[in-house]
Amino acid sequence: MNRTKDSSTSLRIAIQKSGRLTDKTINLLHGIGIEFDNYKRNLMVKTRNFDVELLLLRDDDIPEYVQDGICDLGFVGANEVFEKDADVSVLRGLNYGRCRLSIAAPKNGDLQVAEDFEGKTIATSYPFLTNKFFEDQGVNVDLVEISGAVEITPQLEVADAISDLVSTGGTLIANGLQELFTILESETKLIQTNKELSPGKQKLVEKFLVRIDGYQQAKKSRYIMMNAPEDKIELIKDIIPSMKSPTIVPLAKTQMVAIHTVIPYDKFWQVMEELKSAGASDIVMLPIESMIL
Ligand code: ATP
Ligand code: ZN
């Protein structure tokens, strides 16, 4: 039988074409072993070694493309997913593109608490979330929808305050604004359409998730190696916050062993100090590319 490849079995994944999420998403995809090039020039990119094609879009459009099933998966900020009120499933939070949607008003002005905003005008690119926030507070506001440079609007007297994405807060300060409330904490999410996928595609999604989980776990972990006197093994084992029991290898030098294990990165410095005082030496820490548990 002559079987041609059924293109509908390819997973179609939406990513941001050009912006703050692009490099990190591309790095993640490369990091989980998906190979492709020329993504800067094309809107659709075939990958070489995984049954995936990438669609490069404006981030605002991604929730809808995934909702409508034009793309099966998408990488996009929670801010866009919730602003578009998209009917999609959030599969994973991805720990990059972190920011928050906040209300900010001129520093030391009259607007300090939610009630002060009654009848005021707020400029935003996030009308749905902003409106919902004030509705929940029982406060009536007028929204001016603006697609960029929202932070300048109070100076131009276009609005009394703004609702905008903030990461460090530097842009707000530079524009004489003060952050007052957070509407939403956001990070990049991997989303899936709620339209039914073929069993073949669903299997691909599961394979994709195993790789993502392995990649994320690896990012949070470090491989550590050390030498230690044999009679300190038990003491050292108690210190190591390891997932599994460590590998212990005898060294040519008598009564010494090498201990290898994986630990959470955020524990490394604390653990290293404790290991040293317990008698470990030559402690080496290495990054891990990926790990499958
Ligand atoms: P596009 O052309 O794709 O519409 P954009 O200009 O709307 O791009 P970017 O500025 O590239 O979007 O931001 C993309 C996403 O990055 C945001 O939706 C948000 O999830 C995240 N992000 C992280 N930090 C910030 C920040 N300080 N300001 C804006 N977005 C941020
Ligand atoms: Zn956008």
Side-chain angles (χ1 to χ4, degrees), residues 58-60 80:
R58 287 200 56 193
D59 69 339
D60 319 47
E80 289 297 341

Side-chain angles (χ1 to χ4, degrees), residues 183-243:
I183 298 182
L184 177 82
E185 294 281 355
S186 183
E187 64 174 350
T188 308
K189 302 285 186 191
L190 173 62
I191 56 171
Q192 178 177 345
T193 186
N194 284 336
K195 305 256 183 228
E196 197 179 337
L197 298 185
S198 69
K201 276 192 180 184
Q202 193 53 50
K203 271 218 172 82
L204 275 177
V205 171
E206 278 148 30
K207 213 166 134 185
F208 192 76
L209 286 179
V210 169
R211 291 195 186 192
I212 296 235
D213 292 343
Y215 180 83
Q216 286 200 285
Q217 188 65 45
K219 283 248 167 276
K220 284 191 278 180
S221 309
R222 290 296 183 275
Y223 193 84
I224 61 164
M225 305 187 284
M226 73 208 83
N227 294 335
E230 241 169 21
D231 60 357
K232 295 289 194 286
I233 293 176
E234 287 312 312
L235 185 59
I236 285 176
K237 268 187 174 168
D238 286 344
I239 296 170
I240 296 172
S242 174
M243 296 181 296

Side-chain angles (χ1 to χ4, degrees), residues 3-245:
R3 283 208 299 168
T4 52
K5 193 178 146 210
D6 173 8
S7 70
S8 72
T9 64
S10 257
L11 264 190
R12 191 179 289 160
I13 303 179
I15 68 172
Q16 191 187 20
K17 181 164 177 54
S18 168
R20 292 175 198 255
L21 307 183
T22 308
D23 285 352
K24 292 210 165 113
T25 306
I26 299 277
N27 287 345
L28 186 152
L29 290 169
H30 286 317
I32 62 169
I34 295 176
E35 291 168 14
F36 52 92
D37 34 43
N38 282 336
Y39 70 89
K40 289 209 163 97
R41 268 182 277 141
N42 301 315
L43 284 181
M44 175 98 90
V45 177
K46 301 260 180 216
T47 61
R48 287 198 289 273
N49 59 339
F50 201 93
D51 214 353
V52 158
E53 55 192 24
L54 303 176
L55 201 61
L56 292 114
L57 300 171
R58 287 200 56 193
D59 69 339
D60 319 47
D61 295 333
I62 294 176
E64 232 169 316
Y65 269 72
V66 175
Q67 169 180 283
D68 296 347
I70 299 165
C71 293
D72 306 304
L73 300 178
F75 288 89
V76 65
N79 51 305
E80 289 297 341
V81 178
F82 296 125
E83 173 63 25
K84 299 295 179 316
D85 200 18
D87 179 15
V88 296
S89 300
V90 174
L91 299 182
R92 295 290 185 275
L94 296 167
N95 206 23
Y96 65 90
R98 281 193 183 284
C99 57
R100 53 195 184 274
L101 180 64
S102 288
I103 304 287
K107 196 165 187 296
N108 305 326
D110 304 337
L111 303 178
Q112 295 293 335
V113 296
E115 295 74 56
D116 299 339
F117 283 75
E118 181 67 38
K120 299 293 177 190
T121 305
I122 300 178
T124 187
S125 311
Y126 294 87
F128 177 77
L129 291 173
T130 305
N131 196 36
K132 192 164 168 295
F133 173 80
F134 281 106
E135 241 175 53
D136 290 349
Q137 307 281 325
V139 173
N140 294 304
V141 293
D142 288 327
L143 297 182
V144 183
E145 195 176 338
I146 306 208
S147 61
V150 171
E151 63 282 356
I152 199 89
T153 54
Q155 287 169 61
L156 301 175
E157 296 182 9
V158 172
D160 301 305
I162 66 167
S163 162
D164 202 10
L165 295 180
V166 183
S167 43
T168 59
T171 312
L172 294 184
I173 293 169
N175 285 284
L177 299 170
Q178 174 186 14
E179 192 175 351
L180 296 172
F181 337 104
T182 300
I183 298 182
L184 177 82
E185 294 281 355
S186 183
E187 64 174 350
T188 308
K189 302 285 186 191
L190 173 62
I191 56 171
Q192 178 177 345
T193 186
N194 284 336
K195 305 256 183 228
E196 197 179 337
L197 298 185
S198 69
K201 276 192 180 184
Q202 193 53 50
K203 271 218 172 82
L204 275 177
V205 171
E206 278 148 30
K207 213 166 134 185
F208 192 76
L209 286 179
V210 169
R211 291 195 186 192
I212 296 235
D213 292 343
Y215 180 83
Q216 286 200 285
Q217 188 65 45
K219 283 248 167 276
K220 284 191 278 180
S221 309
R222 290 296 183 275
Y223 193 84
I224 61 164
M225 305 187 284
M226 73 208 83
N227 294 335
E230 241 169 21
D231 60 357
K232 295 289 194 286
I233 293 176
E234 287 312 312
L235 185 59
I236 285 176
K237 268 187 174 168
D238 286 344
I239 296 170
I240 296 172
S242 174
M243 296 181 296
K244 298 212 173 93
S245 71

